[in-house]
Amino acid sequence: MGGGYCSCGSLRSAGTLSRFRDPLPVPREKKPFYRSRGKSYYSLTMSQFRQSLHSELPETAVWGFDGTYPGPTIRVKEGELVFVQWNNALPEHHLLPVDHTVHGAGTGVPVVRTVTHVHGASVHPDSDGYPEAWFTKNFEQTGPFFTRKIYRYENRQQPCTLWYHDHALGITRLNVYAGLAGFYLIEPGSKDRRFNLPSGEYDIPLLIQDRSFNVDGSLYYTAQKGSPVEGPETTVVDMFFGDTNLVNGKVWPYLEVKPRKYRFRLLNGANSRVYTLYLDTGQPMYQIATDSGYREKPALLRNLTLAPAERAEVIVDFANMEGSQVVLRNSAPAPFPAGPLPDESTGTVMAFRVKGDPGGIDHFSIPEELNKVPPVSINDVCRTRYLTLDSAADRFGRDLMLLNKLTWDDPVTELPVLGTSEIWFFINLTGHTHPIHLHLVDFQITGRRAIDTEWFKEKGELKYTGPTQPADREEEGWKDTVRANPGEVTGVKARFVPFSGLFVWHCHILEHEDYEMMRPFIVIRPEENP
């Protein structure tokens, strides 16, 4: 297990694997080392091990937390003060091919390094998982922004589904693809008993990702075709799409369910693939939460779209469906929104097999109202920023995606003031959708509006070609990641609280994030405002 990456030279066809052969694994919940008086402490360790991702494949070498991929679920209470030590016990050599021409991944840094980010968490900068705060095995080497071994999470947020994943500069796409991801759930405090949502065995997180395999069962990650770089092969491709879908680390699994209501926490944890999810029976999903908390009211949806890092909580009612098989499918093109439609392999996600009796009276409910989500107002906005999403080429002629035509190492240009609200408009001048994630803050989508991109490129002026469109139904409410579609201006409004300091914003297509489509921003205190 300590060896480096080795390409088998032969990609295994997805068509050779049976669908719905293996049961869905449900990540176990991580127990704290201690919990007392509103405080708890956890310790999780990253390592390499072998795990069965499909019973017709040999066991696959993967990376994970505490010996599992995905890692164990951390479930905490709203307002609980949580300390986590993220330990690195990974081998010296990477499981996948590292491209040393990528910024932050040159030969001057250790090949294997990690830093964990709890996606969506509102935390102090030194606990956010800054890309250059990486560390190696046993903290023997650390990055220039590393300051602490134990991270602190205040969890002063509304109940929501978050997730943790690696965020090391230049190799995030590889570390996450290898398996470094898991759920982090903030539950209502002890005084919050407003809802009677499905819970316990009927509350199931679903981490959806795509992967490809070599014939020996090892993970396949593509090399760049026709690379102009002499020497080692490069892997900084524009986007990566696997030919199978995994849920909770298993290829096309099935879940036996009872004929009653279930709550599913859907997470798109793919590197690049967008999913538009629907049930092949045509039955609805009742969405109750977005990325950052409960919706105002449940939404009855026949399908919902999730870009990488987006989440949605839904309730599905399997009542009176005994003996049925319900297949969760995907209809999103790749790349999104104008690429080829999925084939049978990438269009299939998992199956639900409805068996037995309800196991007693189904007393769970779908509430009529869930949350107070204020309408988007511009009255308190102190600044509006227009930020471009650009495509370019590097010195070798390879695809390069940029934010505002700047690279990671360029000077910081976004300095919001602590306690103030801003609207950020993302002007997408590229040919596909970018899921843009802002650390620290939650936001609301102000709308999208089509523009003449060629006019903008030539004159630097916005020429709108249609009216402002509201957020899609599944996006209503609080978000931390937004789909910025091509040829559109997408607006989000955020209030920059409660911490000041250094954070990042980036595209969550990991191949883009790793190759310059990420920028730092600094929340400054009012007294620092020039």
Side-chain angles (χ1 to χ4, degrees):
M1 295 199 306
Y5 168 81
C6 178
S7 175
C8 298
S10 181
L11 180 63
R12 177 156 186 156
S13 170
T16 64
L17 298 175
S18 301
R19 293 175 181 81
F20 319 138
R21 182 180 178 91
D22 300 306
L24 173 81
V26 177
R28 63 178 175 83
E29 288 195 14
K30 178 71 175 180
K31 301 300 181 184
F33 182 75
Y34 74 79
R35 174 175 277 151
S36 176
R37 297 182 180 180
K39 298 180 181 180
S40 57
Y41 172 81
Y42 294 82
S43 178
L44 287 86
T45 298
M46 295 166 268
S47 64
Q48 181 172 312
F49 48 90
R50 305 192 74 86
Q51 182 171 309
S52 175
L53 307 187
H54 192 286
S55 57
E56 294 173 351
L57 283 173
E59 287 192 335
T60 302
V62 295
W63 289 2
F65 293 85
D66 287 3
T68 65
Y69 154 61
T73 296
I74 299 175
R75 191 184 293 263
V76 304
K77 292 290 187 181
E78 183 180 6
E80 181 180 358
L81 181 58
V82 173
F83 297 90
V84 182
Q85 179 164 320
W86 307 99
N87 303 294
N88 183 337
L90 292 164
E92 180 181 355
H93 301 285
H94 209 289
L95 189 63
L96 298 166
V98 174
D99 188 332
H100 295 294
T101 66
V102 173
H103 78 283
T107 56
V109 296
V111 172
V112 175
R113 59 199 184 284
T114 59
V115 58
T116 303
H117 167 58
V118 175
H119 181 115
S122 180
V123 295
H124 192 275
D126 63 5
S127 295
D128 189 47
Y130 192 75
E132 292 185 278
W134 51 261
F135 53 93
T136 64
K137 186 175 183 178
N138 298 326
F139 300 100
E140 291 172 357
Q141 293 178 269
T142 58
F145 286 81
F146 177 89
T147 58
R148 60 189 303 165
K149 295 181 180 180
I150 300 174
Y151 280 16
R152 174 188 173 112
Y153 303 95
E154 280 82 359
N155 300 303
R156 291 185 288 178
Q157 301 169 245
Q158 57 185 328
C160 55
T161 295
L162 308 182
W163 65 301
Y164 60 89
H165 63 81
D166 183 74
H167 213 279
L169 187 67
I171 55 171
T172 294
R173 72 196 187 285
L174 303 178
N175 290 358
V176 173
Y177 190 82
L180 295 181
F183 281 94
Y184 186 103
L185 309 179
I186 300 179
E187 296 285 77
S190 58
K191 296 181 181 180
D192 191 331
R193 294 289 183 265
R194 292 175 295 169
F195 313 133
N196 190 25
L197 300 172
S199 59
E201 64 179 298
Y202 307 109
D203 176 4
I204 301 175
L206 301 176
L207 168 59
I208 304 171
Q209 300 172 301
D210 57 342
R211 299 286 186 269
S212 294
F213 299 94
N214 292 304
V215 291
D216 68 348
S218 59
L219 290 171
Y220 169 84
Y221 189 89
T222 187
Q224 188 175 22
K225 295 180 180 179
S227 172
V229 182
E230 296 182 2
E233 65 178 343
T234 57
T235 61
V236 60
V237 292
D238 183 35
M239 285 179 279
F240 176 84
F241 302 108
D243 60 6
T244 67
N245 290 316
L246 287 74
V247 184
N248 294 349
K250 191 70 75 171
V251 178
W252 302 314
Y254 70 87
L255 174 67
E256 289 191 355
V257 296
K258 298 175 182 178
R260 57 186 299 155
K261 290 184 284 292
Y262 281 75
R263 176 183 185 177
F264 297 112
R265 301 172 185 259
L266 303 172
L267 159 62
N268 181 349
N271 279 34
S272 298
R273 184 179 295 279
V274 174
Y275 289 96
T276 296
L277 302 170
Y278 68 97
L279 300 170
D280 70 345
T281 53
Q283 68 192 99
M285 298 177 280
Y286 297 89
Q287 185 191 15
I288 59 172
T290 53
D291 296 340
S292 304
Y294 294 129
R295 296 174 52 95
E296 189 166 281
K297 297 181 179 180
L300 187 155
L301 303 174
R302 302 290 175 180
N303 59 69
L304 64 88
T305 297
L306 296 176
E310 288 189 297
R311 288 93 64 209
E313 296 182 32
V314 300
I315 294 176
V316 178
D317 193 349
F318 297 104
N320 302 315
M321 298 185 69
E322 295 92 330
S324 300
Q325 177 165 280
V326 182
V327 178
L328 182 64
R329 296 191 60 83
N330 164 47
S331 64
F336 191 84
L341 292 173
D343 58 19
E344 184 61 27
S345 295
T346 55
T348 301
V349 180
M350 66 172 293
F352 302 100
R353 295 176 179 171
V354 188
K355 292 192 173 184
D357 59 57
I361 298 174
D362 182 359
H363 56 84
F364 297 124
S365 63
I366 302 173
E368 292 185 5
E369 295 186 0
L370 289 159
N371 198 5
K372 295 295 184 183
V373 180
V376 180
S377 170
I378 63 172
N379 293 335
D380 61 339
V381 173
C382 71
R383 180 158 185 171
T384 299
R385 302 179 190 270
Y386 290 87
L387 306 158
T388 58
L389 315 182
D390 308 284
S391 59
D394 69 5
R395 67 187 187 278
F396 303 111
R398 302 178 301 188
D399 288 331
L400 183 66
M401 296 291 171
L402 300 173
L403 298 173
N404 233 21
K405 296 184 178 179
L406 299 173
T407 67
W408 171 253
D409 290 326
D410 284 318
V412 177
T413 51
E414 285 70 56
L415 298 126
V417 178
L418 181 66
T420 66
S421 296
E422 296 191 356
I423 293 180
W424 290 21
F425 286 108
F426 305 117
I427 306 169
N428 189 346
L429 305 176
T430 75
H432 48 260
T433 294
H434 297 274
I436 301 298
H437 172 46
L438 277 66
H439 286 217
L440 175 67
V441 297
D442 299 329
F443 53 72
Q444 289 180 276
I445 300 171
T446 64
R448 297 182 175 93
R449 195 171 183 184
I451 61 167
D452 185 330
T453 55
E454 294 306 315
W455 180 276
F456 184 88
K457 290 176 183 178
E458 181 181 347
K459 299 182 178 294
E461 301 172 354
L462 287 173
K463 182 178 181 180
Y464 295 106
T465 58
T468 299
Q469 300 296 323
D472 291 343
R473 191 81 191 280
E474 67 263 32
E475 300 174 310
E476 295 169 346
W478 295 106
K479 299 275 293 170
D480 58 47
T481 305
V482 62
R483 300 190 299 274
N485 297 321
E488 294 181 352
V489 176
T490 302
V492 301
K493 178 191 172 184
R495 186 164 181 257
F496 289 85
V497 291
F499 301 107
S500 62
L502 181 64
F503 297 93
V504 300
W505 66 287
H506 59 89
C507 175
H508 220 287
I509 292 176
L510 299 185
E511 282 70 23
H512 294 173
E513 171 186 338
D514 266 351
Y515 203 37
E516 300 294 0
M517 206 170 193
M518 178 165 61
R519 293 278 297 147
F521 72 89
I522 300 175
V523 179
I524 61 174
R525 294 186 174 276
E527 60 268 23
E528 301 172 319
N529 191 23

